[in-house]
Amino acid sequence: MSAPTDGLDLALDLALDLALGGPGPSALLARTAPGDRALAALHRNLEALADEAGILDVAYTTTGTPVGTLLLAATPTGLVRVAYEREGHDRVLAELAERISLRVLRAPHRLEAAVRQLEEYFAGERTGFDLPLDLTLSRGFRQRVQRHLPQIPYGRTSSYGEVARSVGSPRAVRAVGTACATNPLPVVVPCHRVLRADGGPGGYIGGLDAKTALLELERAA
């Protein structure tokens, strides 16, 4: 009879933690034994309750891709973050809690469309993304550049200078590089299509191998 009581206590702890803006249910769930079906069911119930109560501010999930496991996060407005493993998923979640809301919860159902479209993209079946986006993690010139990036056609590239001219600031080449390097939505907002003037790849938040893989994927499609 102790298991149901423990489960109820854990449910109460999770709900209270979420409502009070604590470190998040995921932190509590991480301290429990993996593979526990009862715990998984509890988490799904908590996810649904949090969603219904309107206290799920940032939903996240992870998905495997040819360029590694990506962390996807969304607010009620739209997809807010795509993060590579090299960025540190735990660190990214902590940043989201700090900059957006402490009420962060793994909620895969909220990211189903994003996961499906990424799968189609990596399978060569999709050339653009049709997802609502939340660009609040970027402001000013950086956001202006990031809004422009989806206009670079699939399979094509632009230089940092060309992007600077396209957004009306031809001298802001280095600032364009910074906007690409800090793009919170890589892959979906295709900063990988921006190269140096000499054709070199330049930097990339996911690393050179990931940028090269994305460009080769688009060229092969």
Side-chain angles (χ1 to χ4, degrees), residues 80-156:
V80 73
R81 193 71 165 87
V82 176
Y84 284 94
E85 288 179 278
R86 71 193 305 246
E87 297 179 72
H89 289 172
D90 288 341
R91 183 176 65 81
V92 170
L93 289 172
E95 289 176 353
L96 291 171
E98 180 180 355
R99 298 185 62 183
I100 297 179
S101 171
L102 290 172
R103 297 186 301 199
V104 179
L105 179 67
R106 180 182 287 273
H109 82 282
R110 289 269 291 267
L111 283 304
E112 287 176 352
V115 170
R116 182 179 66 255
Q117 291 191 26
L118 281 166
E119 290 173 346
E120 293 168 352
Y121 169 79
F122 284 109
E125 300 169 355
R126 172 174 289 274
T127 61
F129 293 90
D130 182 22
L131 297 167
L133 303 180
D134 184 341
L135 300 177
T136 56
L137 292 177
S138 297
R139 305 185 188 283
F141 184 75
R142 292 186 185 184
Q143 188 180 111
R144 190 179 358 148
V145 169
Q146 291 159 11
R147 286 184 181 276
H148 169 77
L149 294 176
Q151 298 178 35
I152 303 173
Y154 180 94
R156 302 281 297 276

Side-chain angles (χ1 to χ4, degrees), residues 19-105:
L20 296 180
S26 297
L28 291 173
L29 291 170
R31 298 200 296 267
T32 64
D36 188 330
R37 293 184 180 180
L39 182 60
L42 175 63
H43 191 290
R44 288 193 295 272
N45 290 337
L46 176 64
E47 175 188 336
L49 289 170
D51 207 0
E52 291 174 8
I55 56 174
L56 176 50
D57 294 335
V58 181
Y60 76 91
T61 192
T62 55
T63 186
T65 77
V67 291
T69 300
L70 298 179
L71 171 75
L72 311 178
T75 67
T77 300
L79 189 68
V80 73
R81 193 71 165 87
V82 176
Y84 284 94
E85 288 179 278
R86 71 193 305 246
E87 297 179 72
H89 289 172
D90 288 341
R91 183 176 65 81
V92 170
L93 289 172
E95 289 176 353
L96 291 171
E98 180 180 355
R99 298 185 62 183
I100 297 179
S101 171
L102 290 172
R103 297 186 301 199
V104 179
L105 179 67

